[in-house]
Amino acid sequence: PPSLHPPAGPSRRDGRDSPAELELEVLRDTRNRTIRALCGQPSMPRSVWELPPGQRRTVLRHLLVSDKYRFLYCYVPKVACSNWKRILKVLDGALESVDVQGKMDHKSDLVFLGDMKPEEISYRLKHYYKFIFVRNPMERLLSAYRNKFGEIKEYQQKYGVEIVRRYRKNGGNSAGDDVSFSEFLQYLLDEDVERMNEHWMPIYNLCQPCAVRYDFIGSYERLHADANHVLEHIQSPSFVRFPERQAWYKPVTSETLHYYLCNTQRRLIRELLPKYILDFSLFAYPLPNITSEFCRQ
């Protein structure tokens, strides 16, 4: 596509862009150039049909469909996907308002591209507006770690118990609710990317931005502004807006990320980076700073 992002907005009256607008333009241009350069290589897939069956199933399972508004949204866990699913349900009339409280059902009242016939899939990939939202890879991993192993019993029992048993001496009595961040990273280091849980699988593998040519890549850092752009583009009703963050949600701040990165073995972080390097490079996120000078601050 000629551009994966909308214009930054009107310039100031003196005709000069503000520093924030210029920075945003540089970021968008970097993402556009990087994606075009990588995806233009002969070895990269040009469509979902060129992907191996397992990778194709993954991306089609993560592309949500709105036939009414003619768009495809590739949902990425830990990048506000629950709120986007809430919006889809409101747009399709399955939910009265984005403010309706209650546990999100991530399956019902949603249409997945993977449930359609090949010709229906191809038509929508060709003609529908396609978008994803991305996030700093380390921040996303930390968010998944704190949420799943600090709050969700199902994940503690399914993954936490195994992680502790595997990486801790005498860890057989753990309930899986005391997994350390280092143990979690070691687990990711030993995992096959294609077999990872969706909450920590790289965004590249979830959404395949070379095989699916997205019209817009929004970011978690500009969540509301980018979400409003999408809602405006699809011409959603004026009463549909992006929901505010839930009161119980504990955001990952720069200070929190600094603490975890600087209290984790640098070897683990360095060795893990290759698994997420496409997320860093394609979406123009800086590699984590784990220098001694940074960690002393």
Side-chain angles (χ1 to χ4, degrees):
S3 175
L4 294 167
H5 304 276
S11 300
R12 297 186 304 180
R13 289 182 181 178
D14 60 8
R16 291 177 296 171
D17 290 329
S18 69
E21 288 167 342
L22 289 171
E23 184 178 346
L24 184 59
E25 279 301 307
V26 170
L27 172 62
R28 288 170 174 162
D29 184 60
T30 301
R31 284 179 177 164
N32 290 343
R33 288 173 182 271
T34 307
I35 289 174
R36 280 199 294 267
L38 178 78
C39 297
Q41 296 178 14
S43 60
M44 302 306 291
R46 301 300 178 95
S47 77
V48 296
W49 308 116
E50 294 182 16
L51 294 169
Q55 294 179 21
R56 186 189 313 136
R57 279 195 299 272
T58 296
V59 66
L60 293 180
R61 194 170 64 234
H62 284 83
L63 281 163
L64 294 172
V65 183
S66 173
D67 282 328
K68 185 177 180 180
Y69 290 90
R70 296 176 65 84
F71 70 78
L72 301 177
Y73 159 59
C74 188
Y75 79 86
V76 178
K78 310 314 297 177
V79 192
C81 74
S82 293
N83 279 340
W84 273 113
K85 289 176 180 178
R86 200 178 296 272
I87 287 175
L88 262 79
K89 293 186 181 193
V90 172
L91 290 175
D92 288 342
L95 198 64
E96 183 180 338
S97 165
V98 294
D99 297 319
V100 172
Q101 297 298 313
K103 184 175 172 60
M104 167 60 67
D105 187 324
H106 291 270
K107 299 295 181 185
S108 69
D109 301 315
L110 293 168
V111 180
F112 296 83
L113 192 62
D115 292 334
M116 296 183 170
K117 298 175 183 177
E119 61 270 20
E120 295 173 330
I121 292 171
S122 292
Y123 176 84
R124 285 161 178 78
L125 285 169
K126 183 177 181 180
H127 296 287
Y128 281 19
Y129 180 71
K130 299 172 288 294
F131 68 94
I132 60 174
F133 273 70
V134 299
R135 185 178 188 179
N136 179 298
M138 290 307 299
E139 188 180 300
R140 177 172 170 252
L141 288 181
L142 179 55
S143 178
Y145 163 75
R146 294 172 79 206
N147 173 237
K148 300 308 173 189
F149 299 108
E151 302 171 3
I152 312 296
K153 201 169 190 66
E154 176 189 349
Y155 277 77
Q156 294 167 359
Q157 294 173 343
K158 183 175 181 179
Y159 295 98
V161 170
E162 170 61 21
I163 290 173
V164 173
R165 185 196 63 77
R166 196 187 296 183
Y167 300 111
R168 191 186 305 171
K169 290 182 179 179
N170 305 317
N173 296 323
S174 170
D177 58 352
D178 60 344
V179 177
S180 71
F181 190 55
S182 291
E183 290 168 337
F184 175 57
L185 295 189
Q186 184 64 58
Y187 168 71
L188 296 180
L189 194 56
D190 294 339
E191 275 287 277
D192 177 1
V193 168
E194 296 298 336
R195 298 171 63 87
M196 283 183 176
N197 179 278
E198 63 177 7
H199 288 83
W200 43 80
M201 182 182 282
I203 297 174
Y204 177 86
N205 299 80
L206 287 174
C207 294
Q208 295 290 344
C210 291
V212 179
R213 298 305 178 94
Y214 292 97
D215 300 291
F216 179 70
I217 296 178
S219 66
Y220 191 81
E221 296 75 25
R222 283 178 42 87
L223 185 56
H224 281 271
D226 285 352
N228 287 337
H229 168 79
V230 171
L231 292 173
E232 189 175 310
H233 183 91
I234 65 173
Q235 298 183 335
S236 71
S238 58
F239 69 85
V240 178
R241 54 175 177 73
F242 197 80
E244 294 298 323
R245 179 184 291 152
Q246 300 287 342
W248 50 263
Y249 182 75
K250 299 174 184 176
V252 173
T253 64
S254 57
E255 291 78 16
T256 310
L257 185 61
H258 180 281
Y259 173 82
Y260 276 92
L261 290 180
C262 291
N263 285 278
T264 299
Q265 298 175 49
R266 293 177 190 176
R267 172 193 65 82
L268 277 177
I269 297 172
R270 282 197 300 265
E271 292 180 2
L272 186 63
L273 289 181
K275 286 196 170 181
Y276 294 88
I277 196 64
L278 287 176
D279 285 4
F280 281 106
S281 58
L282 280 178
F283 308 128
Y285 285 109
L287 295 177
N289 188 346
I290 50 173
T291 62
S292 299
E293 182 181 355
F294 175 75
C295 288
R296 278 197 301 268
Q297 296 175 2

